[in-house]
Amino acid sequence: AAILQILAKSPARLPSLKDVEGCDAVFIVGEDISNTAPRLALALHNSIRQKPMAIARKLDIPYWDAAALREAIQDERGPLFVATPAATRLDVLATAAFRAAPDDLARLASAVAHALWEDAPTVPGLAEDMRSRAETIAQALRQAERPLVISGTAMGDEALIQAAANVASALCALGKDASHYYVTPECNSLGLGLFGGMPLEEAVEKLEKKSADILVIVENDLYRRADRSLVDRLLGAARNIICMDHLEGATTARADVVLPA
């Protein structure tokens, strides 16, 4: 819900994975990307090569000449900052990695936003070491042409999501082509949120009152989502159950029709 509210007013664009590969500075706030979005982690491996590619361009080395590129770039990497509660597999690629509790990560991100743009909210009582870290991250993002901020719901912390959004908004205020990538627990989470919808209890009530009688379940094992007794009531109240899924499970076992999808 917090992400959807931010999306409604955020000036930052939502990048595709291909767009992520073209970003030249990255700030990850609170997400262990290798665990929550491995395809995004792969795209970041390519993004940290964007800034060093300037070396190749100065030498007129074509992009297809991999051997010459490796020789020219060596171990140079673009700025990648990881701010998470625990170590991640991306730390080895990071310019710097910061460990802190979610509240402190939110304060760090807010400090970065304020360092970029003075109209962003201030952070009272900020420790000097955190202020220095914020300035380092802000400077790298300020120098980038296509900076990227990554956040998501892994920490369950709305303040963290808002602070990361403030960083992206501050970059946009500076005229940067900034992007904000949101990581959610599963595919289609944001799309489903945009659709809206009713809680499962309301669906049970509709079926039991016979205002609906056909239940269509799309790629969702309901027994993994809710209390078994509630799901039993839901499935028991439907005249027919149609499941569309690519995996078999307890829900598909109760279906009258299963369509592989």
Side-chain angles (χ1 to χ4, degrees), residues 14-23 25-48 80 90 93 148-153 179-184 187:
L14 296 175
S16 66
L17 288 173
K18 188 65 177 177
D19 293 332
V20 168
E21 294 180 356
C23 293
V26 182
F27 181 28
I28 301 174
V29 185
E31 288 290 325
D32 183 353
I33 302 301
S34 298
N35 281 322
T36 58
R39 179 61 185 85
L40 174 60
L42 180 61
L44 291 179
H45 278 72
N46 290 328
S47 75
I48 61 174
L80 168 63
L90 284 179
L93 301 177
L148 169 67
V149 181
I150 298 174
S151 64
T153 59
S179 301
H180 194 167
Y181 198 107
Y182 293 97
V183 178
T184 51
C187 296

Side-chain angles (χ1 to χ4, degrees), residues 30-86:
E31 288 290 325
D32 183 353
I33 302 301
S34 298
N35 281 322
T36 58
R39 179 61 185 85
L40 174 60
L42 180 61
L44 291 179
H45 278 72
N46 290 328
S47 75
I48 61 174
R49 300 178 68 242
Q50 294 306 309
K51 190 172 182 179
M53 288 297 281
I55 300 171
R57 287 193 291 270
K58 287 181 180 179
L59 297 174
D60 291 326
I61 299 173
Y63 288 171
W64 52 262
D65 194 342
L69 285 175
R70 284 196 298 270
E71 184 66 26
I73 293 174
Q74 297 290 325
D75 294 327
E76 290 291 324
R77 295 170 179 162
L80 168 63
F81 297 94
V82 179
T84 52

